[in-house]
Each structure stands twice: as structure tokens, then as C-alpha cells.
Amino acid sequence: MGRKIIHTNKKAFHDYTIHEKYIAGIVLTGTEIKSVRRNAVNLKDSYARIEKGEVFLYGCHISPYEQGNRYNHKPDRIRKLLLTKKEILKLDIKIKKEGYTIVPTEMFLQDGLAKLEIALGKGKKLYDKREDLAKKSQMRDIQRGIRK
């Protein structure tokens, strides 16, 4: 069936230097998956945390489903991510020893199931962000020069 991208967290690429990526499943309720299929997701200020050997997603906003009535979900609830024990241990070691943060980068549907791409990232300093913006504008100028 393929992969349909629901939302990409552009702020994560702006604020963090991304190192390793993992794909995790998400535990969702019925109205949440219906909202996800309608692209009503925002990963902008979200992050993941490891607690008692399990990974949880904080700050992910999934809008309430319009026809959900009283069975609707809370938009900013904490959601569990599904990863293997080996992956969780690897993430935990990197976070504690090297100071990484788990940042969600992309949510997508794969064969009808909601998946989340998470990445290990280190926070960028202000001068790193400025440097990236300068490179981006230079590339844009070069592209404009090629088109003419």
C-alpha cells in the first residue's frame, strides 16, 4: 500500500541536529486514528521521554474528531510509543551518556497503521541556526541563477 505522510515536524530540523532515526508505532484510540487520517496532527512542540522502560510521546496535538461526540479523546494526552526493548535500551544509553533528546520528526500511515519517525537530536546553538539559514539562502540564490 505504501507510506502516506501525515505531518512533518520542520521545527525539529530547525532546532536540533538530527543523528539517528527510528520508526515507532503509536497507541491511539478510535477517534484519534480517524483524526490522524484527516491530517489533524501537530508535532511542533512534541518530544518523547523514556519512563520505566517504555517510551511516551508528550505535546503531540491530535485534534478531536468532529463526529466523535462523547467518545472523543483529549487532544494533548500522553501517548505510548511502540519500540523493541533493544531500541529502547539503545536510546536510553544515548540520552543519559551523550545528552541527546528524542524528537518526533514525522508521522505517517503505513499499511493503514499510524507510525511515528523519532530521532535522536542535539539542540542547536543560535549561531548554528544562523549558519543553516545562510546556507539555505545561498542555495536559493544559486538555484535562481541556474534558472535564468
Side-chain angles (χ1 to χ4, degrees):
M1 185 173 176
R3 184 170 163 164
K4 179 187 173 199
I5 296 172
I6 302 298
H7 183 73
T8 303
N9 188 359
K10 293 176 185 167
K11 189 176 181 196
F13 293 102
H14 181 264
D15 292 344
Y16 296 93
T17 304
I18 304 298
H19 293 280
E20 289 181 44
K21 293 183 179 182
Y22 297 89
I23 293 178
I26 318 168
V27 177
L28 299 173
T29 63
T31 56
E32 283 177 323
I33 191 65
K34 289 180 179 190
S35 290
V36 167
R37 288 191 177 121
R38 290 185 168 199
N39 295 352
V41 178
N42 189 355
L43 295 172
K44 192 175 182 182
D45 295 321
S46 57
Y47 61 96
R49 190 185 293 166
I50 298 174
E51 296 171 0
K52 298 178 185 173
E54 295 180 329
V55 185
F56 293 96
L57 180 65
Y58 292 86
C60 174
H61 182 86
I62 299 177
S63 299
Y65 184 59
E66 292 167 10
Q67 288 85 30
N69 60 43
R70 67 178 184 203
Y71 299 108
N72 241 329
H73 60 278
K74 293 179 184 171
D76 292 320
R77 77 178 186 88
I78 300 166
R79 294 167 181 91
K80 185 177 176 180
L81 298 180
L82 305 172
L83 290 161
T84 63
K85 287 272 187 203
K86 199 181 254 187
E87 289 173 328
I88 294 171
L89 286 171
K90 200 175 187 182
L91 287 170
D92 200 25
I93 289 168
K94 292 241 180 184
I95 288 169
K96 288 179 181 169
K97 286 188 179 176
E98 300 173 31
Y100 284 106
T101 305
I102 304 174
V103 192
T105 55
E106 188 176 81
M107 186 179 283
F108 58 92
L109 290 173
Q110 186 172 346
D111 300 327
L113 300 174
K115 303 281 183 179
L116 187 70
E117 183 181 79
I118 57 174
L120 284 173
K122 276 199 173 176
K124 286 185 183 177
K125 304 284 186 227
L126 185 60
Y127 57 85
D128 290 333
K129 292 178 190 178
R130 286 183 187 148
E131 196 175 290
D132 286 348
L133 286 173
K135 284 180 187 175
K136 206 180 265 187
S137 67
Q138 287 174 353
M139 289 303 293
R140 206 175 298 126
D141 292 341
I142 291 169
Q143 290 297 324
R144 282 189 198 130
I146 292 171
R147 283 189 205 135
K148 290 181 181 178

